[in-house]
Amino acid sequence: MKGKGYRSSSVKAIWIVIAHLAAVAAAVCAAMFVMIYQTGIRLDDRGKSYTESEAFEKQVSNRGSDILVSLAAQDDINYLKNAGSSAVIDLAEFEEKGNTRDSIRDLSLKNTSGLAYSVSDLLEWGKDWEANYYEGVYDEDSQVIRCESSDGTSHYFYRTDFKKMVADGTLKINYNTDFLEEDDFESKTESEKLDTVADELYYRYTSQSENIGNVTDTRTNTEYPGCFFVELSQLDEKFAPQGAENILDAVNKSTEWNGRLEDAYKELFTLLDCIRAIQSDEQFNDYETSLASVFHSVGDYTEGSTNLTYLFADKETQTIYTNKKAYSSYAQLEQNLEKIFKEKAYAVVYPELSECVTNIPGADLQVWNHTIDQSFDTKDFVFAVSVDTKFSVADSMADEAENYETYSKLMFPMLAGAIFGSVLWLIGMVWLTVTAGRRPEDEEIHLNGFDRWYTEIAAGTVIGIWLAGTIISGTLIANSSLGYSHVVVTVIVICLICGTYTMAWFLIGYLSLVRRIKAGTLWKNSLIRKVLKWIGKCSGKLADFARAFSRNTAEKIKVLLVGGAFLFLQFLIIGCVFSGAGVFLLALMAVDVAVMIFAIRKADGLDLIMDGLKKISDGELQYKIKTDTLTGKQKVMAEYINNIGGGLDAAVENSLKKERMQTELITNVSHDLKTPLTSIINYVDLMKRENPTDPKIQEYLRILDEKSQRLKVLTEDVVEASKASTGNIKLEMNDIDFVEMVQQVIGEFEEKFQEKNLTMMVHFTDEPSIIYADGQRMWRVLENVFGNVVKYAMEGTRVYAEISNRNKKVTFSLKNISAQPLNISADELTERFIRGDVARNTEGSGLGLSIAKSLTELQGGEFKLYLDGDLFKVMITFVAKNYSK
């Protein structure tokens, strides 16, 4: 124990008190130092009076700058007020001049573009512009619709007016329903239709880019092919433009602003902001310094209520601005300046900085000179500010002087106290860290009851109690009589209470943490560690259980039941027998061994059967399960499985043989048909060359020629369908521009579409749509699907062709309305010799879609049909290939 008395409890208690007091003292001193520093007082101000300090120079400089800004704003307001009742500000001219407050004096104050506001209205509007702007509600009344005519001009409508005009027939609209998902759209009223479209576009965030339909104005017979919602900022139109009901009316009438409503809104907002800023700067009477505002009250600059006197003289206009009546005469300017020069604190600025004079240490008058140059038109001026250093008036500067005298003396002691307290606290914490858990009599780490709590629970308790106490004490202080009038006392009380409370719980938590680290129980006694270990054990047991029962679970359950019955029998026998226990135990052990061997053999047999089933299911139909080691039901089961495998193999072989026979039959029959068919076609051609004059013979030859050609096409389709379905086609794969190929096919079918009076509506993506496919086969696929449209589409309808490029896939879709009812499924239509025309009135073989689907899938694509009533839709999808031009 010798030499280790520093570990004793009494020494630890002393250092705890020292660390506690040092931390609280450091916090109080640091808080006071920061507050004093915020007032502008610096360490090098020691020994200086207030008028010699940097804080005084900054206060005078800031006040002088504010006065200049306010005088300039007052001058601007006077300029606008004196402009006359007919003066207006044109938004286009305001935009051209730079749309800033400095450009207002450069305006002609005339209406040049058709969108101008009265100056008097703007001054009134600017007073509460910011409040009105934020109180605006963005609802249906504030929404705007822009209609674009074919000549590029635009006309704007408020949504409510637009709805009324649609309802009374003034406007007629043909809605674009491509982006709508509702089926009952046409059954709604005109107002409901517009609301439905607006809601749909709002949720899609495409209201400004989606054309909602074609509009016709019946009053002027004007056509508007484009109609769009316009999203604008909130605007409460307190005043209307000159010669218009509202800003929309003015924009519609103006040639310069046509189609630029958004820009008009922007310029109006900027103009109102400028007017508001000028009026705000004009009202400079109330001033509050940004530094330590809690130390002084708010003052103003009227004579008799301030220690500061200012004088601004515009020598060009011989105008005086001052807050002292004795200085208001321009004729006595020089005498008044002489009076200011006699003050103990003054600063005078002239156009030339070299002529500026001041006796305020550190004053930077260049800022004043720059402010005047930017805010006033005059180039010949003088601006002077003086301060009554006796501070005979109780204003904010007097308060600042008093605070300076009080707190400048405390700044260095507060800094020294904060540093000394921090160092002493750090020494105490090091001492307590070293001795934590140690006792003089041994080297063992001693833990108390709190240290044995779970780590997370202990930490949560300390933090929770500290947080609750801090909130309660803060609430009590806030509700007490202390406030900004007693700010210093408030800061000291807060630091004392919260610092003492915080340090107490910090020491409890910190020293417990140190003892846990030293004893190695921080993680060992962690609740998270306990939970993770428990989860690990449970997961290990669950994994073992899952592996044990992953194969043939029912059989293993039976084995467990049998084993459980044997164990129950053992306990029963042992409990009933009182003598000869050794013999019975040996017998029971023999029974247990036999049961285990039986269970293992059963489990092994199940494994053999499971392996055999897996291999057969993977395609090894010839695999046979070995039955030598199997007995009972397991052997019978294995034999059944072996027979199933052989039967499946025979069935697959028979199916393939039939498929080959069918393919060969189709190929041979088609080949045999070609020879006589070719002869028929040739002889018909020869007979046509004889030019028979009999009309009947000519008709017979025409029919023979038409039917023979159709039979030739059918024969070729049958052969190609057979090859496509069996994959017996050699593909020449290349990169293909899918959009270009579809456009070429559409061009080939243009005349046929015109014959059927079909209108092609095309929407292709602008992105590269390159696929990897056989160009000849893809042409055949597209030829078949477009030919299907020509044969079966209802005359006089539209056909929609679209190519999209999404999710790294190129998708081509073709939609049309069928002339005949589609009373079969989409899957049936892709079967061979199946046609949607059940009456078979059209020229078709029923193989086109089957061939198209087979060729598409052979090239790695996807071919799908969709039927919805009379709507027929084909979708062909390929993986997009990386492509860059």
Side-chain angles (χ1 to χ4, degrees), residues 431-490:
W431 188 283
L432 292 173
T433 301
V434 172
T435 60
R438 302 286 186 178
R439 292 180 182 177
E441 60 270 14
D442 56 41
E443 297 298 325
E444 183 182 354
I445 302 299
H446 297 272
L447 303 176
N448 57 33
F450 180 73
D451 298 336
R452 293 182 174 85
W453 287 20
Y454 285 118
T455 302
E456 293 80 8
I457 295 178
T461 301
V462 170
I463 295 173
I465 295 177
W466 166 78
L467 187 61
T470 302
I471 294 174
I472 293 172
S473 60
T475 303
L476 293 176
I477 293 173
N479 294 332
S480 66
S481 59
L482 298 176
Y484 286 115
S485 60
H486 305 85
V487 64
V488 178
V489 178
T490 302

Side-chain angles (χ1 to χ4, degrees), residues 558-672:
K558 291 179 183 178
V559 172
L560 286 178
L561 291 175
V562 172
F566 273 107
L567 289 175
F568 176 76
L569 181 60
Q570 287 179 13
F571 284 110
L572 182 62
I573 293 174
I574 291 174
C576 295
V577 176
F578 298 97
S579 60
V583 178
F584 281 105
L585 287 176
L586 290 175
L588 291 175
M589 288 179 63
V591 172
D592 289 341
V593 171
V595 170
M596 290 298 296
I597 293 173
F598 174 79
I600 290 172
R601 289 189 64 181
K602 285 291 184 183
D604 184 60
L606 289 175
D607 288 339
L608 288 174
I609 294 174
M610 290 297 296
D611 290 341
L613 286 171
K614 184 177 183 304
K615 290 184 178 181
I616 293 173
S617 66
D618 290 340
E620 298 182 32
L621 302 180
Q622 297 294 337
Y623 181 79
K624 303 295 181 184
I625 300 174
K626 295 181 180 179
T627 59
D628 299 341
T629 59
L630 300 178
T631 60
K633 291 184 177 180
Q634 288 185 346
K635 186 172 183 178
V636 175
M637 187 185 301
E639 291 175 349
Y640 285 158
I641 293 172
N642 289 338
N643 293 334
I644 291 174
L648 287 173
D649 185 46
V652 170
E653 180 64 27
N654 188 36
S655 176
L656 292 175
K657 183 177 180 181
K658 288 182 178 180
E659 186 70 24
R660 285 194 296 269
M661 289 178 63
Q662 290 177 357
T663 302
E664 291 175 359
L665 175 62
I666 292 172
T667 303
N668 293 335
V669 170
S670 300
H671 183 270
D672 292 342

Side-chain angles (χ1 to χ4, degrees), residues 453-463 516 522-523 525-530:
W453 287 20
Y454 285 118
T455 302
E456 293 80 8
I457 295 178
T461 301
V462 170
I463 295 173
R516 290 166 188 264
L522 179 66
W523 176 245
N525 201 27
S526 170
L527 184 62
I528 296 176
R529 178 176 177 269
K530 300 289 184 183

